[in-house]
Amino acid sequence: MLLRIYSVFVLTMDLVMLFIRICYIILTSIYRIIRPQPLKSLYGEVAMVVGAGSGVGRELTLHLCQLGVTVACVDINVESCNTTVQRALQLHGKCKRYQCDVRDNVAVVDIVNLIKDQFGDITMLFHCCGLPSPRALIEEPPDIRTTMDLSVISYFWLLDAVLPCMQRAGRGHITILSSVAGLSSGRSRIPLSTAQFAVQGLAESLLMDLRHSSKNIIVTLVHVYPFIIGTEVAKDIRFRLPSYFGTMPAAEAARKILNGVRRNYAEFSVPGYLLYLGHLLRILPKEASIMLREMLDTGVDFA
């Protein structure tokens, strides 16, 4: 009898402490919305940017170089990657081009070892090449194997090769990007949406695993919600809700991503308010969630 009373008492105390901690975290989060954390310095870090040849990857490379980060620009396209490196060098950044198909495990291991030999242990990882293009989201039937290998499987090869570097360095930051395809699916977009949902699950699993084994390695999940990044095809597209799913220059998206990374956010979106919409879709009854998804499902078509 006394043992049962003691067990109930311990359980009650645990629940009370859990409730207090949850309330504290909620209040702290609300406070941080009003007054964000200061931006941490990235000077001296060694970053590996996968997909640095264009779009967000290119702009992240340029921003990182301006912040004093040594950047390894990784892309399968040599020409576009060289263009990024030349622009970075004009900004007096320290970076170098590396050609690699991240779908190939052996190639990833070789390129990480090469970067490590030339720059030292990698302490930051940005994977940008898994974000689908606007036309792929709209009209191109994606190749399932290519989509999964590039957007999901490549993460495992990269993490297997890069995590030991971060553990040796005693610090690290892994930035995982997920696109709007992970918010809402649609006709002919099942492989893309599945891949983006898988990326989100990978980020949460990695966060929980490193929370216990490597607390100095930070995982940040970024939901990139503008329907397209860049304005090069904006004139060809009609949006149902342009104020919500409009265009955003890649430079602005990269700046917002780095601001969140420098504040050590575990999860955020670009733009920020749409993160809460994604959470709302998950807690609503399924039928209501489907109705809201259909209304917000961009309704985009090429003009």
Side-chain angles (χ1 to χ4, degrees), residues 239-257:
F239 297 91
R240 177 182 296 170
L241 298 174
S243 60
Y244 284 89
F245 295 101
T247 62
M248 176 179 290
E252 182 181 352
R255 180 182 61 81
K256 290 180 179 294
I257 290 171

Side-chain angles (χ1 to χ4, degrees), residues 16-30:
V16 170
M17 292 303 299
L18 177 63
F19 178 75
I20 293 173
R21 290 176 181 176
I22 291 175
C23 290
Y24 173 77
I25 291 173
I26 292 174
L27 292 175
T28 302
S29 300
I30 295 173

Side-chain angles (χ1 to χ4, degrees), residues 40-48 63-72 92-94 115 118-124 126 165 169 171-173 262:
K40 69 178 182 180
S41 173
L42 300 181
Y43 185 83
E45 301 287 349
V46 177
M48 180 179 181
H63 280 72
L64 287 167
C65 286
Q66 291 176 311
L67 293 171
V69 179
T70 300
V71 183
H92 306 289
K94 184 178 180 181
I115 295 170
Q118 295 180 345
F119 288 150
D121 285 327
I122 297 169
T123 57
M124 301 189 77
F126 297 85
C165 295
R171 69 185 190 282
H173 203 133
R262 295 176 67 189

Side-chain angles (χ1 to χ4, degrees), residues 90-205:
Q90 292 174 359
L91 298 172
H92 306 289
K94 184 178 180 181
C95 67
K96 190 172 182 179
R97 182 264 299 170
Y98 298 88
Q99 183 183 20
C100 179
D101 183 352
V102 293
R103 296 170 296 181
D104 184 344
N105 187 19
V106 175
V108 169
V109 172
D110 291 342
I111 210 69
V112 168
N113 287 333
L114 181 59
I115 295 170
K116 182 178 61 177
D117 292 339
Q118 295 180 345
F119 288 150
D121 285 327
I122 297 169
T123 57
M124 301 189 77
L125 174 64
F126 297 85
H127 188 334
C128 307
C129 60
L131 293 176
S133 67
R135 289 191 181 273
L137 284 170
I138 293 294
E139 59 182 17
E140 294 178 1
D143 177 79
I144 297 174
R145 173 66 67 179
T146 299
T147 299
M148 297 304 293
D149 284 348
L150 183 62
S151 300
V152 183
I153 303 301
S154 61
Y155 267 109
F156 290 92
W157 309 148
L158 287 164
L159 291 172
D160 283 345
V162 171
L163 275 175
C165 295
M166 296 181 176
Q167 289 168 342
R168 281 193 301 270
R171 69 185 190 282
H173 203 133
I174 300 168
T175 303
I176 297 177
L177 304 182
S178 173
S179 84
V180 70
L183 173 65
S184 176
S185 181
R187 293 185 300 273
S188 78
R189 302 209 305 269
I190 293 177
L192 288 171
S193 295
T194 300
Q196 295 306 307
F197 275 113
V199 166
Q200 295 174 22
L202 170 64
E204 293 189 13
S205 300

